[in-house]
Amino acid sequence: MKELQKKLQAQMDKTIEALKYEFSTIRAGRANAQMLDKIRVDYYGTPTPINQVGSISVPEPRTLLINPWDKSAMKEIEKAIRNSDLGLNPTNDGDVIRLNVPALTEERRIELTKQAKKASEEFKVRIRNERRDANDKLKKMQKDGEITEDELKRGQDDVQKLTDKYTKEIDVLLAAKEKDIMAV
């Protein structure tokens, strides 16, 4: 039963890490290289992550610089950025692609906050699914005679406590991200 709890905790930790990564891709008015992580560039017919076709740097708080390793990919990189949901307009000087991250409008902040809330809800569903799977395993163990009914009840209580803990952590992360987005 302890083994089951350790596995569940490890799964939930991974879920929290995935949410943190998801939040890092939602821009909050400042330039950061992770905001480009979801963009795929059509590189010789293969959708390739943008960070695999060039180096990304942040020379100023509101500027991203993409230095493609293959200059022939610049048009495709520009196209991928324009087609993304980031709302950025790339400028190409022949050597590098410059992205100026504009200050967020109130409307865009509200939109990004909704995006963050939606992501946090999806991750809460993942946590609840992990809880359901763990409870199913506990019931099977009890049915197979591996644990008693009291141990089943205790195990389910422990699983619920873990679920509550990680759900609260998601709420804390969401509150921090909302504050980050709404900060002027």
Side-chain angles (χ1 to χ4, degrees):
M1 203 156 73
K2 288 282 182 209
E3 186 64 32
L4 180 73
Q5 280 186 316
K6 283 181 183 174
K7 281 183 181 176
L8 178 63
Q9 189 161 4
Q11 285 176 303
M12 289 184 174
D13 282 338
K14 285 180 187 171
T15 302
I16 294 296
E17 287 308 308
L19 177 64
K20 287 177 182 175
Y21 174 78
E22 180 76 21
F23 279 172
S24 76
T25 65
I26 299 174
R27 78 179 181 99
R30 294 186 294 287
N32 77 359
Q34 287 92 6
M35 60 195 267
L36 301 176
D37 283 356
K38 289 184 177 179
I39 297 177
R40 299 284 181 261
V41 177
D42 185 17
Y43 189 61
Y44 294 107
T46 306
T48 309
I50 203 163
N51 60 3
Q52 291 182 14
V53 295
S55 63
I56 303 169
S57 59
V58 186
E60 299 165 17
R62 291 196 184 273
T63 306
L64 283 172
L65 215 56
I66 303 168
N67 191 354
W69 294 305
D70 178 359
K71 301 299 179 199
S72 67
M74 290 183 95
K75 290 268 186 266
E76 288 299 327
I77 293 171
E78 279 185 88
K79 184 177 158 187
I81 293 168
R82 277 200 184 93
N83 293 340
S84 73
D85 63 351
L86 291 175
L88 298 176
N89 197 15
T91 54
N92 177 348
D93 69 4
D95 252 355
V96 294
I97 296 173
R98 200 173 300 280
L99 296 170
N100 289 317
V101 180
L104 296 173
T105 62
E106 190 64 28
E107 187 179 295
R108 183 72 174 142
R109 288 177 196 278
I110 291 168
E111 192 179 308
L112 290 173
T113 302
K114 285 180 186 172
Q115 192 178 337
K117 283 180 183 173
K118 183 176 181 241
S120 73
E121 269 313 306
E122 288 170 9
F123 282 87
K124 281 183 181 179
V125 168
R126 285 190 195 181
I127 293 286
R128 289 191 291 268
N129 287 341
E130 290 163 3
R131 173 190 62 194
R132 183 197 61 224
D133 293 346
N135 281 336
D136 289 348
K137 285 176 187 167
L138 284 169
K139 287 176 188 169
K140 186 182 182 323
M141 288 169 73
Q142 196 255 335
K143 185 180 172 194
D144 294 346
E146 295 174 39
I147 59 173
T148 66
E149 202 168 311
D150 287 345
E151 290 172 319
L152 169 69
K153 180 74 177 122
R154 209 167 332 155
Q156 288 175 328
D157 288 346
D158 292 344
V159 166
Q160 186 59 48
K161 285 176 189 165
L162 268 180
T163 303
D164 293 345
K165 174 187 165 196
Y166 283 95
T167 303
K168 281 185 185 114
E169 191 169 340
I170 289 173
D171 290 337
V172 168
L173 290 170
L174 175 62
K177 187 62 180 179
E178 285 178 333
K179 184 179 175 189
D180 191 28
I181 291 170
M182 297 310 270
V184 179

